[in-house]
Amino acid sequence: MDYRFLLSLAIILLSTKVFGLISQRVQLPSVVGALLAGLLLGPTCLNMVVETDFLLKTSELGVIFLMFLAGLDTDLKELKKTGLTSLFIAACGVIVPLIGGSLCYKLFFPQATVDAMLRAVFVGVVLAATSVSITVETLRELGRLRGKVGTAILGAAVIDDILGIVVLTILTSFTDPSVKPLMVVGRIVGFFVLLALVGFVVYRLFQKLGKAYYNHRRIAIYGLVFCLLLSYAAEHFFGIADITGAYFAGLILCNIAEAQPYIARKINIASYMLFSPVFFASVGIETDLHGFTFSLFAFAVALTLTAIATKVVGCGLGAKLCKFSAHDSLAVGVGMISRGEVALIVAQKGEQAGLVDASLFPAVVAMVIVTTLITPVLLKLVMGRSPLPASDEPTLTVKSGD
């Protein structure tokens, strides 16, 4: 057995912690430091840590844990209030980037062929993707995850993911006759039917388990098992991202007073100690920005600016039309900027389907990195301008037997 993974893990954990503390010292969220640590360790700079299957799977667990915690920390009553709002924000957050990304590609590559048009639309699909993992961590750090803005961002991001999958599948169906768009829509509907059935049963079951094993580590293990099973089912059987399954697993358990606090506390410890740092660092470690030409650099800059503007305008306008205040609308738009691993996954699928040239992949990666880095910074600037609402104030409950 090759034991170098232990050294890589030690370097990642130490560097993300050190850079996270430095970020906090300069009034930035610690997640920014973790991302910069990954860039420094990866092939772009020092090349000290290489991507391995172990790191890939550990980072995937990291994002699953983050989204499970996001679901657990969601205010279900607030989510019910903002359900239609989140749907409208998500729709605006898909349509505007889809158009903006397509126009950006056509500006740099003005070919008039059918393949060029498909590639242009695909770039728009990449920009339509949203990854709120880093936004979630930043909102948690600021104590703003629960409440109107945080819940709207989370709800819109989940719907955004589903809409993006539908558009991506329809687009790839033009290059792969074996992909059936109607079948994908059927799978998405089937997933939500499963959620309704399983959610009802699991909710009742955990209510009883919470009373029987209150403050017992067994209830946390059961919660984690449920999260992993639903993540697997979403990805394997329905073709929906595993993080969507993880979020809904947390959402099902978030309103169980007998179980939610203990499960969230135990999962948060595991996430903070190991899985989340590896995930944030892996964003930089798996990125290689060598080989940039001037034209590619110009396209990357234009693509990044388009990615930022379209999410802020699209989601912010959607929130404003749903009667959010100007400040909250801006916060929603900024919170949806980050593309993260979702855009990378979409881009990889597009490359496999022949919808994006391999030479353009670094530009997409650069866009992902920049949007991922600036989102927590901008979010902290925007959210820090207003006083913390009473409903958003973080609370800590200490119970005996923990």
Side-chain angles (χ1 to χ4, degrees):
M1 180 185 291
D2 189 350
Y3 290 95
R4 282 180 293 182
F5 75 95
L6 296 175
L7 178 61
S8 298
L9 198 56
I11 293 173
I12 289 172
L13 294 178
L14 180 61
S15 61
T16 52
K17 182 61 178 179
V18 170
F19 276 79
L21 290 173
I22 294 173
S23 295
Q24 289 179 330
R25 286 291 182 92
V26 295
Q27 303 301 310
L28 293 175
S30 60
V31 64
V32 174
L35 292 169
L36 291 175
L39 277 175
L40 183 65
L41 295 174
T44 301
C45 296
L46 300 178
N47 200 25
M48 292 178 61
V49 178
V50 297
E51 184 183 5
T52 63
D53 184 62
F54 169 77
L55 290 181
L56 186 65
K57 291 177 179 177
T58 305
S59 66
E60 188 66 20
L61 282 172
V63 71
I64 287 174
F65 275 44
L66 281 175
M67 295 311 296
F68 183 43
L69 284 169
L72 286 170
D73 286 342
T74 299
D75 189 332
L76 196 57
K77 293 180 180 179
E78 194 69 39
L79 183 61
K80 290 178 180 178
K81 293 179 183 177
T82 61
L84 292 177
T85 299
S86 296
L87 177 60
F88 188 74
I89 293 172
C92 293
V94 169
I95 294 171
V96 175
L98 186 63
I99 296 172
S102 301
L103 292 176
C104 180
Y105 181 89
K106 292 296 290 182
L107 180 65
F108 282 84
F109 309 97
Q111 297 94 338
T113 63
V114 175
D115 287 343
M117 182 59 68
L118 289 176
R119 289 171 183 245
V121 175
F122 176 74
V123 170
V125 174
V126 173
L127 295 197
T130 299
S131 173
V132 293
S133 308
I134 291 164
T135 299
V136 164
E137 185 66 15
T138 304
L139 289 172
R140 283 169 60 86
E141 197 170 309
L142 295 173
R144 299 298 187 102
L145 185 58
R146 298 175 70 90
K148 187 176 182 180
V149 172
T151 305
I153 290 174
L154 284 172
V158 171
I159 299 170
D160 195 315
D161 179 41
I162 295 170
L163 293 176
I165 290 170
V166 173
V167 176
L168 176 63
T169 305
I170 293 173
L171 194 60
T172 54
S173 67
F174 287 100
T175 61
D176 184 2
S178 65
V179 178
K180 305 297 182 183
L182 289 178
M183 183 180 297
V184 174
V185 175
R187 286 181 176 179
I188 292 172
V189 173
F191 175 70
F192 281 99
V193 171
L194 176 70
L195 276 180
L197 297 175
V198 171
F200 177 79
V201 175
V202 170
Y203 181 82
R204 296 295 184 186
L205 178 62
F206 269 83
Q207 276 188 322
K208 295 181 179 180
L209 288 174
K211 294 176 181 178
Y213 302 111
Y214 188 67
N215 261 10
H216 195 289
R217 68 185 65 182
R218 193 177 303 173
I219 192 69
I221 294 173
Y222 292 155
L224 179 58
V225 168
F226 175 57
C227 167
L228 296 176
L229 287 175
L230 197 55
S231 299
Y232 173 78
E235 187 76 55
H236 184 74
F237 296 111
F238 299 97
I240 294 175
D242 52 5
I243 57 176
T244 303
Y247 175 73
F248 277 107
L251 198 63
I252 290 170
L253 303 180
C254 73
N255 209 33
I256 304 176
E258 298 85 357
Q260 185 273 346
Y262 190 76
I263 295 174
R265 192 157 59 248
K266 291 303 183 183
I267 297 299
N268 188 52
I269 292 172
S271 177
Y272 172 80
M273 289 288 291
L274 176 61
F275 296 104
S276 294
V278 175
F279 163 66
F280 291 125
S282 70
V283 175
I285 292 171
E286 64 188 20
T287 300
D288 188 354
L289 298 181
H290 294 114
F292 252 36
T293 62
F294 178 78
S295 59
L296 189 58
F297 176 78
F299 176 64
V301 171
L303 189 66
T304 302
L305 293 176
T306 303
I308 296 169
T310 52
K311 278 296 182 182
V312 173
V313 172
C315 296
L317 180 62
K320 185 63 177 175
L321 292 175
C322 291
K323 299 183 179 180
F324 278 58
S325 68
H327 177 271
D328 287 348
S329 298
L330 179 61
V332 170
V334 169
M336 298 287 284
I337 288 175
S338 177
R339 299 321 198 267
E341 79 291 343
V342 176
L344 289 175
I345 292 170
V346 171
Q348 288 171 347
K349 290 183 180 295
E351 186 180 16
Q352 294 169 0
L355 289 170
V356 61
D357 196 302
S359 63
L360 297 181
F361 206 76
V364 175
V365 172
M367 178 274 296
V368 169
I369 291 175
V370 173
T371 57
T372 301
L373 285 174
I374 69 169
T375 297
V377 178
L378 294 178
L379 195 58
K380 185 170 184 179
L381 288 174
V382 173
M383 298 295 282
R385 289 181 180 177
S386 61
L388 187 69
S391 62
D392 285 351
E393 291 178 0
T395 58
L396 176 64
T397 304
V398 179
K399 297 184 181 296
S400 60
D402 188 10

